[in-house]
Amino acid sequence: MHIHKYEKWWLVFGTSTLIIFLIIIGVSAFHAGAHPNNSKWTIDYEKVDEIAPFDNPGVHKVEGKDWDYEVVLVASAFSYTPMEIEVPVGSKVRFVATTKDVIHGFEVAGTNINMMLEPGYVSELVTTVDKAGEFTIVCNEYCGIGHAMMYSTLKVVDADDNSSH
Amino acid sequence: MTTAVTNKEIIKEKQLPKGKNLTTKDRLIKVDRKDAKLALAHMYVAFTALLVGGLAGLLQVFVRSGAFQLPFGIGYYQILTVHGVLLGLILTTYFIMGFQLAAVSRTAGALSNTQRKLGWIGFWLMTIGTVAAATMVLLNEASVLYTFYAPLQAHWIFYAGLALVVVGSWIEGLSQIMRYVQWRKENKGQTSPLLAFMAVVNNLMWFVASLGVAIEVLFQLLPWSLGLVERIDVLLSRTLFWYFGHALVYFWLLPAYMVWYVVIPKVIGGKLFSDALARLSFMLFLLFSIPVGVHHQLTEPGIDGFWKFLQVVLTFFVIVPSLMTAFSMFATFELRGRELGGKGVLGWFRQLPWKDSRFLVPFIGMVAFIPGGAGGIVNASYQMNQLIHNTIWVTGHFHLTIATAVVLTYFGAAFWLIPHLTGRTLTSRMNSLANTAGILWAVGMFIMSGAMHIAGLLGAPRRSEYSTYGGSEQAAEWISYQFAQAIGGTILFISILVIIGVVVNLLWFAPKGEEEFPVAEVAEGGGSTPAILENFKVWGVILVALILIAYTFPIFDILSNSPAGSTGFKLW
Amino acid sequence: MANHKKTSDDNLKGTLYATFGIGIIIIVIWALCFNLFIDRF
Ligand code: HEM
Ligand SMILES: [Cu+2]
Ligand SMILES: [Cu+2]
C-alpha cells in the first residue's frame, strides 16, 4: 500500500488536531469537572410529587453543601413547575429536575445548562450562574402536541436584590 | 482490476452524447436488464419520497415562520414525522439499495435468478412496511417522529411497518453479498471489484447496526404497543436506538463515498487515487461507525461519564477515514486538472468539468461536508454537546451532511444511473437544469442551514413549531432566524421540483440512447491492494470486540440500575 | 487519458493546501464553539 507524502502529513496533522481536542475536553471534564449530566439517581416517576425534593419544587437556599442554592424542578406534559426561578448572580446552583410522564428537555437557553429528563431518572447539574439576566427555559425534546408551549424562566439577579444573600 | 466483470454484457456501440469523457470500454458495460428493472423500482419510491417529504419540509418552515397555519387539523408534528420518515429513512434506504444493487450488477456481474428474486422480496417487504407505517402516520396514530422515542407510544402497525423496512433491506443486502461471494469464488485470489466490495461493507455495517433497532422493536416496542407488556425500559430503548442510529448516518454516507471514490474520478476523466486506501477507509468506517452511538446521549442521565467519554474518543477515530477521503478527492481532482494543463498551485481547479452535473452536483455536496463535518466534531465533543444538544443547530448540521452532501451526491448519481437503467440519455438541457437545481440547493441550504446553526447557538430548540415562549425576548430573536429558514426552505423546495422534473424526464421522456455507468480504474502505480483488506473475518472480530468494549458496561449498568419501566403515552 | 504514474513525486501541492485549509476551518469552528462554551455558565 502506497501513501503519498502529503497524505501522511495531512493525516498526522488531522489526527493530532483531533487528539488535542480530546485532551482539551478530557482535561476540562475529568480534571476541572465540566461534565454534562451523568446522574444515576432513579425515582418512581409516577410518585414524583410525593418524593423529596420534588414534593417541594422551587429555589432552596442550602447550607453546608458545595453549592449555595438548589433549584428543584418538575416537568410534565406540557409545563414546568415552578414557572419562574430566581437566583442571585455569582451563586453556585445545583439544578435537580425530573419528569412525571414522557421524556422532556431542560435547556436554559443561552447557557450550557442542557439536559434530558427521562422518566424514572433525576437529572442534575451544578454550575455557578455568573451572568445576570433573564433566560428562557425551553423543552427541547419532543414530548407531544404542546411541546413548544413548555417553558419557564431563570432570572439571575444582582445579589443585593435578594435579601437572603 | 477493479472493473472486472465476469458475465459482462457488451452492447453495441451507439451514438454517444457529445462533450463527455467517454473513451474506454467501460461505457459499454451495462447493468443487466432484469437487475435494472429492480434498481429502477427503488428509484420510483425514492423520488416519490423526496417530493412528498420535501413538501412537508416546506410546510414546516412556513409554520415555523409564524405566518402560516396548517389546514384541516393537520398537526405540525405529524408533518414532521412524515418529513423525517420519508427523507431520513425511505428516500435514503431505497436509493441506497437500488444504487448498490446496480453497482454490484455492473461491477461483479448480473445477479443470479435466486439473488434477484431475493432482491424483489426485499423490495416488496420494504414497500409493504412503508405503506403500513405511512398509513398510521396519516391517521395520526404515530406522530412520534422518525426516532419514535418511548414512552410516546405509536400504533403497533407503525413499528411493525418500520421493522419490515429493515428486514426487507437485510434481504436485499444479502442478495448483494451473495453476488459478491460468488464473484470471489469464481475469481479466486483476485482483488474484487471495488464498488461491489464497498457495497458489501455497507451492508455488513447495516446488518450489525440495525440489530440494535430490531431488538428494540421486536422485544420492546411491539410487545408494549400491542399491550402484551405494560412497561418499557426507556433508557435501554434509547440506547439500542442509538447503537443503530449513528451507524444509520454512515449507512447513508457510504454510498455517497462510493460515488466520490469510484464514480467521480471517471466522470472527470481521471483515475482512482488508490484502491487500497479506499478499501482501508471503508473498513475503518465498518469498525468505528457502531461503537459510538452514545455520543447522541451525552446529556442523558443513567450512563456513566467514563463510558460516554470512551465513545467520544471512538467517535473521533471515525473522523480519520473522512480525512483520508478528503485527501483522495482533492488528489484525484488535482492529478486530473494538471493532466489537462492546469498550472500553479491551484490552476488545476479551473480545469474540472464544472458544467457536468454528474460532477458539479456531488461536488457541491462535498463542499457542504466541510462545515458539516466541522460541526459534527463540535457535537461530539462531550461536554460541548450541551451547547447545541437538541437545538435547531443539530437540524442545521444534518441538513448539511445528509440533506446536502449525501443527497446531492445521490442526485448527481441518479442523473446518469436512471438513464443508464432506462436506456435513455441525459440531454444537455436536462444537464443544465440539474446544475441549476444544484446551485439552488446550495443557496437555499446556505440560508436555511446557516440560520439554523446561529439560532441553535442562541438556544432555539429543534422539533418545535412556532412559539413565542410567553413573549420571551430570546424567542423573538429565534423567530427572526425562522423567517430566514423559510426563505431558504422555499428555495430548496423549488430545487426539489426541478430535480423531480429532471428525474421524470430521465425516466420516461429523454431520448433513447446509452448513458455510461462510470467506474474509474486504478491509477497505474497506485500500489497493489493487500489481501488483508478483504479478510472480513479479521475485521469482523475487531468490530465485535470494539462493540463489546464500548457497550457491555453501559448496557449492564442500565439494566442493573434501571427504575420501573414506563407505560405508553399518546400526547399528540 | 494519459497513463498516470502515481508516485510520491506527483505534484499535489494544491491538495496539500486544500486539506490543510479544511483542517484550519475545523480548528477555527471548534475553537469558537469551545470559547462560547467556556464563556457561558
Ligand atoms: C425542501 C427541502 C427541505 C426543507 C425545507 C427542510 C426543512 C426542515 C426543517 C425546518 C426541519 C426541522 C423542523 C423542526 O425541528 O421542527 C427538518 C427536519 C428534518 N429534515 Fe429537512 N428539510 C428539507 C429537506 C430535507 C432532506 C432532503 C432531508 C434528508 C434527506 C431532510 C431530513 C430531515 C430530517 C431527518 C429531519 C429531522 C426530523 C425530526 O427532527 O424528527 N430534510 N427539515
Ligand atoms: Cu417537549
Ligand atoms: Cu452520531
Side-chain angles (χ1 to χ4, degrees):
Chain A
M1 201 160 52
H2 166 87
I3 302 183
H4 190 282
K5 181 173 64 178
Y6 291 163
E7 178 155 16
K8 287 180 191 155
W9 292 6
W10 163 236
L11 289 179
V12 168
F13 171 58
T15 313
S16 346
T17 304
L18 295 176
I19 292 173
I20 291 169
F21 289 173
L22 281 174
I23 292 174
I24 294 174
I25 57 178
V27 169
S28 128
F30 291 91
H31 185 69
H35 286 283
N37 162 41
N38 287 331
S39 164
K40 294 270 188 82
W41 178 354
T42 57
I43 190 170
D44 181 345
Y45 79 92
E46 286 167 320
K47 298 207 175 72
V48 163
D49 288 338
E50 301 156 32
I51 300 171
F54 299 102
D55 52 352
N56 184 17
V59 183
H60 308 291
K61 176 122 184 63
V62 295
E63 302 292 342
K65 296 200 176 166
D66 278 352
W67 45 84
D68 312 315
Y69 288 89
E70 262 176 26
V71 170
V72 178
L73 184 133
V74 178
S76 62
F78 300 101
S79 64
Y80 291 109
T81 317
M83 276 291 285
E84 195 180 301
I85 297 162
E86 195 174 299
V87 287
V89 68
S91 53
K92 198 165 183 185
V93 183
R94 179 189 190 218
F95 292 89
V96 203
T98 192
T99 164
K100 296 207 285 187
D101 40 54
V102 294
I103 300 173
H104 295 283
F106 175 72
E107 177 199 327
V108 183
T111 78
N112 295 330
I113 305 168
N114 188 350
M115 45 193 192
M116 305 284 295
L117 309 181
E118 296 181 10
Y121 290 89
V122 175
S123 293
E124 56 172 316
L125 201 74
V126 179
T127 189
T128 303
V129 292
D130 56 10
K131 278 192 196 60
E134 230 180 88
F135 302 88
T136 305
I137 297 173
V138 295
C139 177
N140 65 8
E141 182 58 271
Y142 171 63
C143 53
I145 193 84
H147 164 57
M149 305 298 134
M150 233 179 121
Y151 64 91
S152 176
T153 309
L154 172 70
K155 291 185 172 162
V156 180
V157 296
D158 280 330
D160 41 346
D161 293 354
N162 189 305
S163 52
S164 68
H165 201 83
Chain B
M1 281 273 286
T2 48
T3 55
V5 166
T6 45
N7 44 346
K8 59 183 146 195
E9 201 181 309
I10 308 277
I11 51 104
K12 279 192 213 86
E13 187 160 354
K14 290 201 186 153
Q15 267 179 315
L16 289 158
K18 293 202 177 68
K20 286 184 191 151
N21 302 306
L22 323 177
T23 40
T24 67
K25 60 184 186 329
D26 289 313
R27 66 171 182 262
L28 304 172
I29 299 170
K30 290 213 59 163
V31 171
D32 173 82
R33 287 267 311 278
K34 290 187 194 140
D35 294 347
K37 233 177 121 190
L38 176 54
L40 268 178
H42 290 82
M43 297 300 141
Y44 297 135
V45 182
F47 283 92
T48 309
L50 174 67
L51 183 61
V52 180
L55 182 63
L58 182 71
L59 294 174
Q60 285 153 221
V61 288
F62 282 177
V63 169
R64 285 166 48 82
S65 75
F68 174 82
Q69 273 168 357
L70 290 169
F72 317 122
I74 302 169
Y76 177 81
Y77 302 103
Q78 194 176 2
I79 296 285
L80 185 56
T81 307
V82 170
H83 184 76
V85 170
L86 283 187
L87 296 178
L89 305 177
I90 302 304
L91 163 69
T92 47
T93 309
Y94 275 86
F95 184 88
I96 291 167
M97 284 303 156
F99 168 75
Q100 288 187 167
L101 158 78
V104 168
S105 173
R106 160 74 171 77
T107 59
L111 267 59
S112 73
N113 286 336
T114 316
Q115 290 158 0
R116 192 178 312 108
K117 200 166 281 163
L118 281 177
W120 278 109
I121 293 172
F123 173 83
W124 283 111
L125 282 182
M126 296 210 306
T127 307
I128 295 168
T130 305
V131 171
T135 309
M136 289 303 121
V137 176
L138 293 180
L139 294 174
N140 202 24
E141 291 290 336
S143 296
V144 289
L145 309 187
Y146 82 116
T147 45
F148 46 86
Y149 295 142
L152 286 175
Q153 190 183 58
H155 195 285
W156 68 269
I157 293 180
F158 175 76
Y159 302 121
L162 292 183
L164 277 185
V165 173
V166 171
V167 172
S169 71
W170 284 350
I171 297 176
E172 290 211 47
L174 182 69
S175 91
Q176 294 163 18
I177 291 178
M178 285 165 66
R179 186 63 190 85
Y180 166 85
V181 171
Q182 184 190 333
W183 191 98
R184 298 251 331 238
K185 279 210 188 102
E186 291 165 356
N187 299 271
K188 280 228 159 50
Q190 289 190 48
T191 307
S192 65
L194 183 53
L195 267 184
F197 167 85
M198 289 170 151
V200 167
V201 172
N202 201 25
N203 284 321
L204 288 177
M205 185 190 76
W206 179 241
F207 290 161
V208 180
S210 48
L211 220 51
V213 76
I215 293 172
E216 183 200 4
V217 170
L218 287 183
F219 295 101
Q220 292 195 289
L221 296 172
L222 272 178
W224 173 68
S225 56
L226 280 164
L228 302 177
V229 297
E230 197 199 350
R231 289 175 187 273
I232 188 166
D233 185 330
V234 170
L235 184 57
L236 180 64
S237 75
R238 292 173 63 81
T239 307
L240 287 170
F241 182 86
W242 282 113
Y243 164 92
F244 154 79
H246 184 77
L248 171 67
V249 312
Y250 278 93
F251 173 65
W252 299 334
L253 183 65
L254 290 193
Y257 275 22
M258 293 180 204
V259 174
W260 295 3
Y261 270 112
V262 188
V263 174
I264 297 289
K266 185 64 195 292
V267 167
I268 66 172
K271 299 262 165 119
L272 183 70
F273 181 64
S274 162
D275 180 271
L277 284 174
R279 282 176 209 257
L280 178 63
S281 79
F282 266 61
M283 281 307 190
L284 293 177
F285 281 123
L286 175 65
L287 294 189
F288 292 110
S289 294
I290 300 166
V292 296
V294 166
H295 71 218
H296 291 262
Q297 301 180 278
L298 293 173
T299 69
E300 282 182 46
I303 304 175
D304 200 78
F306 174 81
W307 296 100
K308 286 182 181 173
F309 195 80
L310 181 92
Q311 293 213 15
V312 164
V313 174
L314 291 173
T315 304
F316 274 56
F317 283 159
V318 84
I319 300 164
V320 174
S322 282
L323 299 182
M324 292 165 58
T325 306
F327 190 92
S328 282
M329 294 328 299
F330 278 112
T332 308
F333 297 158
E334 182 165 6
L335 290 176
R336 178 60 180 158
R338 290 196 185 282
E339 219 170 63
L340 292 174
K343 294 276 181 305
V345 174
L346 292 170
W348 48 272
F349 200 67
R350 257 178 287 139
Q351 305 291 333
L352 299 172
W354 296 109
K355 293 210 171 91
D356 187 340
S357 62
R358 302 171 306 161
F359 168 72
L360 178 68
V361 175
F363 182 85
I364 294 172
M366 294 179 194
V367 173
F369 207 59
I370 298 169
I377 299 176
V378 172
N379 301 346
S381 292
Y382 194 54
Q383 68 273 38
M384 280 163 75
N385 182 258
Q386 293 173 103
L387 207 52
I388 51 79
H389 180 72
N390 272 353
T391 69
I392 199 78
W393 156 292
V394 175
T395 316
H397 161 72
F398 63 67
H399 278 80
L400 286 181
T401 50
I402 166 75
T404 304
V406 169
V407 300
L408 285 190
T409 303
Y410 291 180
F411 300 158
F415 298 148
W416 52 259
L417 180 60
I418 293 179
H420 178 89
L421 299 173
T422 52
R424 297 174 187 274
T425 56
L426 177 69
T427 58
S428 70
R429 207 174 105 78
M430 285 303 129
N431 179 58
S432 57
L433 269 182
N435 282 336
T436 311
I439 290 162
L440 281 175
W441 197 285
V443 173
M445 195 54 89
F446 179 79
I447 299 173
M448 185 174 94
S449 169
M452 285 173 163
H453 276 92
I454 299 172
L457 286 178
L458 295 172
R462 71 182 281 204
R463 297 181 149 178
S464 297
E465 63 180 316
Y466 178 78
S467 170
T468 59
Y469 293 98
S472 132
E473 259 175 55
Q474 284 174 306
E477 209 178 355
W478 304 337
I479 290 167
S480 58
Y481 286 98
Q482 280 156 215
F483 262 112
Q485 290 160 31
I487 295 167
T490 307
I491 300 174
L492 278 169
F493 186 69
I494 295 170
S495 172
I496 288 184
L497 292 180
V498 177
I499 288 161
I500 295 287
V502 173
V503 167
V504 166
N505 174 277
L506 293 173
L507 280 172
W508 296 296
F509 302 105
K512 297 266 183 210
E514 302 300 334
E515 186 70 42
E516 178 198 16
F517 187 136
V519 176
E521 284 164 34
V522 195
E524 277 170 56
S528 62
T529 300
I532 177 83
L533 286 173
E534 286 209 69
N535 191 334
F536 283 96
K537 276 188 200 120
V538 173
W539 299 91
V541 169
I542 304 175
L543 171 63
V544 172
L546 280 173
I547 293 173
L548 289 178
I549 291 169
Y551 270 106
T552 309
F553 225 93
I555 296 235
F556 175 77
D557 227 18
I558 289 167
L559 290 176
S560 56
N561 229 334
S562 76
S566 283
T567 56
F569 291 83
K570 185 170 182 250
L571 298 177
W572 61 87
Chain C
M1 221 154 310
N3 44 347
H4 203 101
K5 284 259 189 292
K6 207 176 61 56
T7 65
S8 278
D9 329 322
D10 270 335
N11 184 352
L12 291 180
K13 269 247 164 66
T15 301
L16 182 71
Y17 284 107
T19 47
F20 273 64
I22 294 177
I24 288 168
I25 293 174
I26 292 175
I27 292 174
V28 168
I29 291 179
W30 193 86
L32 286 174
C33 288
F34 185 71
N35 188 46
L36 190 61
F37 177 78
I38 294 297
D39 215 45
R40 290 177 169 182
F41 66 76

